[in-house]
Amino acid sequence: MTEPGGGGRRLRGPWWREGAVTATAFAFCLLGGVMRVDDTLSVPPAAACVVAVVSCAVLPVRHRAPLAALAATTAVGLLVPSLGLLLTPLIVAPAVITAYSYALTAHSERRAASAVLLTSVTLAAAVPLSGEFSWKDASRMAVVAASPLVAGVLGHSVRNRRAYLAAVQERARRAEESRDSEARRRVTEERVRIARELHDLVAHQITLANAQAMVAAHLFDARPEQARESLRELVETTAGALDDLRATVGLLRQSGDTSGPAEPAPGLSRLPGLVESFHRAGLQVSVHQEGTAEPLPSAVDLTAYRIVQEALTNVTKHAGTGDARVRLAWSRDRLTITVTDDGNDSPSAPGGPAPAGLSGTPGRPPGYGLIGLRERATAVGGDLLAGRRPRGGFLVRAQLPLPAAKDTTRRSGGTPAVEGTPAHVDTGDARTGHAADGDIL
């Protein structure tokens, strides 16, 4: 019924509600003054009118000072027997109302219970204190004493009910905020996932197309037949890139599940085709496998494929060399993927043997390739290290967990034949150049 405002408390409800409560209490007081000890009725005396006016005048301030209003109405009720009036629950109606209000707004339940109990005892003691007490007055005294107690219990119940409803509303508000926060988090994660997939798809195809275009330009005058072959491969590469982009955008535009069969996500089983695409772009890739291949879940298999794809794309774009080495080491609980090159991170000289090793355009801002790879490796419970090697070149090493065979959904296989075992590689510290910060797009 109240709310803080200004320097104290002010009424929350409409003025007519307070007027109705005060008028009702005033009518009860006058009705109580009509009753006599001999069970007869008479016109309310002047004392009854004074009691009604004084006690009801306190009611409008019960919201700002409930304890003071309770004390004032109790004191007026204590004077009722000494004024020759019959003490009944009707004539002490203002004290009952203020007892309800104080139990409703008190800061402490103990203080509210103590104040209401003291009011009940005080009003009940007014009868014997007047000097005239009989067994007939005992029942009337019990009813008078019970009235503030009942009002206090009712006020306490209403207070608990309001607190419960407020708590329910607060929990609902927090749940709504939590749902909104979770929805925003999922949207952000989905955006990052889509950006990662588009990056891996576009960066690989565009880098190969760029390398093939440079090969064609390099051989256009000296060896036109080879330049024409490179242009044919460029057309195939760009056509494949357009098909992949069309399929990806089509999936993003779908509002529901498609009924047609979806192409499975790439994995290590498609590694030979990936290596062949880099061979056509002028990058010679040797693949070495250690240990026995284990079945991989689709998420880990896709991550392994994307790591190799992105690492070889970086070699093609930045390394300044025509050779790269891929090593797949299978152990009992993890798969270690290592991709190394011996490049010097500088553009090849004109007329060099392999334009596929040309660096990216100088001054181009760093991309998000290695950032995406680290996110992929972390998402499946692995880790990734990328940096310069002290002996020259660059290294990308990822360790991915191998779950139990019963948890896997597909097997990887079809790795290309070994073209040579790479020598021992020193990892060195992660460099701060273009590859360490993400070097594609």
Side-chain angles (χ1 to χ4, degrees):
M1 296 294 293
T2 63
E3 65 179 1
R9 297 188 176 187
R10 57 186 176 87
L11 296 179
R12 179 186 297 177
W15 61 270
W16 57 263
R17 182 181 301 172
E18 290 300 318
V21 171
T22 303
T24 302
F26 185 79
F28 283 161
C29 288
L30 291 181
L31 184 60
V34 172
M35 303 176 63
R36 290 290 181 265
V37 178
D38 55 359
D39 296 332
T40 59
L41 302 178
S42 64
V43 178
C49 295
V50 172
V51 169
V53 171
V54 173
S55 59
C56 291
V58 180
L59 292 180
V61 301
R62 73 185 187 277
H63 301 294
R64 299 181 181 178
L67 184 59
L70 178 60
T73 53
T74 302
V76 173
L78 184 62
L79 297 176
V80 167
S82 61
L83 295 177
L85 301 174
L86 184 65
L87 185 64
T88 61
L90 293 177
I91 204 169
V92 295
V96 176
I97 295 175
T98 53
Y100 168 83
S101 298
Y102 185 69
L104 184 64
T105 60
H107 296 290
S108 171
E109 294 184 1
R110 180 176 298 178
R111 292 177 59 185
S114 301
V116 172
L117 182 60
L118 181 60
T119 298
S120 178
V121 172
T122 300
L123 293 178
V127 176
L129 290 178
S130 63
E132 298 180 0
F133 182 77
S134 63
W135 290 106
K136 185 178 181 181
D137 297 328
S139 60
R140 181 165 47 84
M141 183 179 64
V143 175
V144 171
S147 298
L149 294 178
V150 173
V153 171
L154 180 60
H156 180 70
S157 300
V158 173
R159 177 181 179 178
N160 289 343
R161 177 64 178 173
R162 291 180 179 178
Y164 170 75
L165 292 178
V168 170
Q169 293 176 355
E170 179 66 16
R171 285 197 296 268
R173 183 186 64 82
R174 292 184 178 180
E176 184 68 22
E177 291 179 354
S178 177
R179 285 193 295 269
D180 292 342
S181 177
E182 179 67 15
R184 287 193 296 269
R185 185 188 64 82
R186 291 185 178 182
V187 168
T188 302
E189 291 180 352
E190 186 66 13
R191 289 177 59 187
V192 171
R193 187 189 67 82
I194 293 173
R196 205 159 45 221
E197 290 293 336
L198 287 176
H199 172 275
D200 293 341
L201 175 66
V202 175
H204 170 64
Q205 301 284 7
I206 298 302
T207 299
L208 292 182
N210 181 65
Q212 291 166 349
M214 286 191 294
V215 169
H218 180 73
L219 302 176
F220 186 79
D221 294 328
R223 286 172 282 183
E225 289 299 327
Q226 294 184 11
R228 189 176 294 107
E229 178 65 23
S230 181
L231 289 176
R232 282 195 294 268
E233 294 176 354
L234 174 61
V235 171
E236 296 177 0
T237 300
T238 54
L242 289 175
D243 292 339
D244 291 341
L245 282 176
R246 187 180 298 110
T248 303
V249 174
L251 290 176
L252 294 177
R253 293 175 62 90
Q254 288 178 359
S255 58
D257 294 336
T258 178
S259 58
E263 182 181 358
L268 291 181
S269 60
R270 295 174 57 176
L271 190 57
L274 178 66
V275 171
E276 180 60 28
S277 66
F278 282 104
H279 284 173
R280 293 196 303 268
L283 179 67
Q284 300 301 315
V285 182
S286 62
V287 180
H288 178 66
Q289 179 172 301
E290 298 180 1
T292 304
E294 298 291 339
L296 293 175
S298 58
V300 179
D301 204 12
L302 173 62
T303 299
Y305 178 85
R306 293 301 189 195
I307 288 174
V308 176
Q309 181 188 55
E310 178 65 18
L312 293 179
T313 301
N314 289 346
V315 173
T316 303
K317 189 174 180 65
H318 297 288
T321 181
D323 299 300
R325 296 175 296 277
V326 178
R327 176 174 171 266
L328 304 177
W330 301 82
S331 63
R332 184 178 58 86
D333 59 347
R334 68 182 56 195
L335 166 64
T336 302
I337 303 173
T338 306
V339 181
T340 58
D341 65 79
D342 297 325
N344 53 13
D345 300 313
S346 63
S348 298
L358 289 174
S359 301
T361 303
R364 177 178 297 173
Y368 303 95
L370 294 180
I371 295 176
L373 293 188
R374 290 191 180 95
E375 292 175 349
R376 285 185 180 276
T378 303
V380 297
D383 58 79
L384 183 136
L385 169 69
R388 298 179 188 270
R389 297 192 303 160
R391 300 176 184 176
F394 199 71
L395 172 142
V396 175
R397 173 174 293 166
Q399 293 184 336
L400 306 179
L402 294 180
K406 63 180 181 181
D407 297 331
T408 59
T409 58
R410 59 195 299 266
R411 292 188 61 91
S412 62
T415 54
V418 176
E419 296 185 15
T421 302
H424 175 72
V425 178
D426 296 325
T427 61
D429 296 330
R431 64 180 175 181
T432 58
H434 56 271
D437 294 331
D439 50 0
I440 298 299
L441 295 183

